Amino acid sequence: MGRSPCCEKAHTNKGAWTKEEDDRLVGYIKTHGEGCWRSLPKAAGLLRCGKSCRLRWINYLRPDLKRGNFTEEEDELIIKLHSLLGNKWSLIAGRLPGRTDNEIKNYWNTHIRRKLLNRGIDPTTHRIVNNNPNDHPTTTTNKNNNISSSLGDVATTTISFANATPTTHHVIKEEVDADTRHNFDNILPDLNLELRISPPHHHVHQNNSSSSSSSSSNIHQLQPKNHQHQSLKTGLCFACSLGVENSKECSCSTSLNGTSSSSSDYDFLGSKAGVLDFRSQEMK
DNA sequence: AACCCCTTCAACCGCGGCGTC
DNA sequence: GGACGCCGCGGTTGAAGGGGT
């Protein structure tokens, strides 16, 4: 069948954007708002394809973008989110206001990957790189907190969210004794990771069909559906909190019958269980 | 100064998801 | 249910800049 090209390639500019093109794009979006990327170039008098305009706006021209270096806190948040979500850069970006998926992706590939490798951590699996193949992944040790010993006999549940990287899965200990939990609470600050992701700013474009359809698809992707109108603190399971409530990982049913840990004990980032125990390693 | 290599990051490309007809 | 169109995502590319020799 074949997909029709998004634009007349013969009549579009490619490559770096000029100041004039930027000004045109910004001016148009300020006046008319985002959306309808396919028709935008023509309307704005730009010899660019819609995708190019969208990318330029989202990654560079948006007024709410945070320019400059990533902070240490952002670094750590990206690492944690990547350990959970894999290469879902848009989801990760949704947790970092002012940062774009492209920016985070680039930053990951250029800085964080190397940083993790220097720490002896596989950036794909987020596990300690260990030369001994007999070592079980869940027995990775945290030299500062000696977690492995306290978790040794606890049953584990494996949750995998990263389809693109099938090897990425994270073992989350669902039951941790109070002392261990306290230790991790001290190590990791509380993170509000409730997924309530929205575009940086909404324009009046809600009545635009294409715009509203795409944003609604984002909502489906990112927000728990109605039957789950609860936040983490009110009993939503981890899978549901990530918008995958119908997956096999959904534990809402087990939560309801009381067989799983209480929501207040839920270990969102595996922090309490030491999944992210690389964090305690020396940062360099 | 010239060259080479490495790093960074803006931009492109192809594909999948979703809505509409 | 399938074809089609659009949007957004993730992977990749390549130009630009910086550092080393």
Side-chain angles (χ1 to χ4, degrees):
Chain A
M1 149 179 101
R3 181 181 297 267
S4 63
C6 70
C7 53
E8 279 290 338
K9 291 184 186 293
H11 300 104
T12 56
N13 294 337
K14 288 172 71 173
W17 280 64
T18 65
K19 179 81 171 62
E20 185 184 349
E21 287 176 314
D22 282 350
D23 290 343
R24 276 182 184 270
L25 181 58
V26 170
Y28 183 86
I29 291 178
K30 275 182 180 171
T31 308
H32 299 92
E34 292 181 51
C36 287
W37 294 109
R38 190 180 172 88
S39 58
L40 184 149
K42 191 175 180 182
L46 287 162
L47 294 176
R48 294 274 179 174
C49 76
K51 290 173 74 170
S52 183
C53 294
R54 176 183 158 272
L55 213 61
R56 182 65 177 171
W57 172 254
I58 288 176
N59 288 334
Y60 202 81
L61 298 174
R62 242 168 48 191
D64 60 327
L65 287 182
K66 190 194 290 182
R67 313 299 298 184
N69 295 335
F70 282 75
T71 65
E72 200 61 36
E73 288 74 23
E74 286 175 314
D75 272 23
E76 293 304 314
L77 185 54
I78 291 169
I79 292 169
K80 291 186 192 90
L81 289 167
H82 186 272
S83 74
L84 281 168
L85 301 165
N87 294 356
K88 302 296 180 188
W89 305 115
S90 60
L91 284 176
I92 294 172
R95 303 303 314 171
L96 286 120
R99 302 295 188 185
T100 70
D101 54 351
N102 204 38
E103 188 178 16
I104 292 170
K105 179 174 58 182
N106 284 331
Y107 187 66
W108 175 270
N109 288 326
T110 57
H111 292 89
I112 300 184
R113 275 182 69 88
R114 192 177 311 145
K115 186 169 162 179
L116 290 181
L117 287 170
N118 286 341
R119 291 187 203 173
I121 295 161
D122 184 333
T124 305
T125 63
H126 290 264
R127 293 201 170 133
I128 306 282
V129 175
N130 197 328
N131 291 332
N132 184 354
N134 293 327
D135 280 0
H136 191 279
T138 61
T139 61
T140 54
T141 56
N142 180 326
K143 60 186 174 187
N144 292 336
N145 297 282
N146 197 24
I147 293 309
S148 61
S149 61
S150 62
L151 294 172
D153 295 324
V154 179
T156 64
T157 300
T158 300
I159 301 178
S160 174
F161 293 98
N163 294 336
T165 53
T167 58
T168 303
H169 56 282
H170 312 283
V171 179
I172 296 180
K173 315 285 185 182
E174 292 195 286
E175 297 174 9
V176 184
D177 68 72
D179 287 344
T180 305
R181 212 177 298 144
H182 178 71
N183 286 342
F184 272 108
D185 286 344
N186 287 339
I187 297 164
L188 289 171
D190 283 344
L191 286 168
N192 175 14
L193 289 170
E194 178 188 355
L195 284 178
R196 182 162 30 83
I197 301 170
S198 60
H201 46 257
H202 294 283
H203 293 276
V204 216
H205 250 57
Q206 298 306 333
N207 56 354
N208 177 302
S209 62
S210 63
S211 171
S212 60
S213 68
S214 62
S215 58
S216 68
S217 69
N218 281 346
I219 291 168
H220 284 305
Q221 183 181 359
L222 301 173
Q223 292 184 333
K225 295 205 174 76
N226 287 343
H227 85 280
Q228 309 282 354
H229 270 299
Q230 296 169 324
S231 67
L232 278 174
K233 65 179 178 183
T234 58
L236 194 59
C237 81
F238 179 55
C240 289
S241 75
L242 289 174
V244 288
E245 69 280 1
N246 290 326
S247 75
K248 61 181 180 182
E249 316 296 355
C250 176
S251 61
C252 286
S253 55
T254 56
S255 294
L256 289 172
N257 65 26
T259 56
S260 71
S261 57
S262 69
S263 60
S264 61
D265 285 341
Y266 201 80
D267 180 8
F268 184 81
L269 284 175
S271 59
K272 294 170 184 171
V275 172
L276 300 166
D277 55 2
F278 56 79
R279 191 183 192 278
S280 61
Q281 296 209 345
E282 202 61 41
M283 298 261 303
K284 222 21 320 31

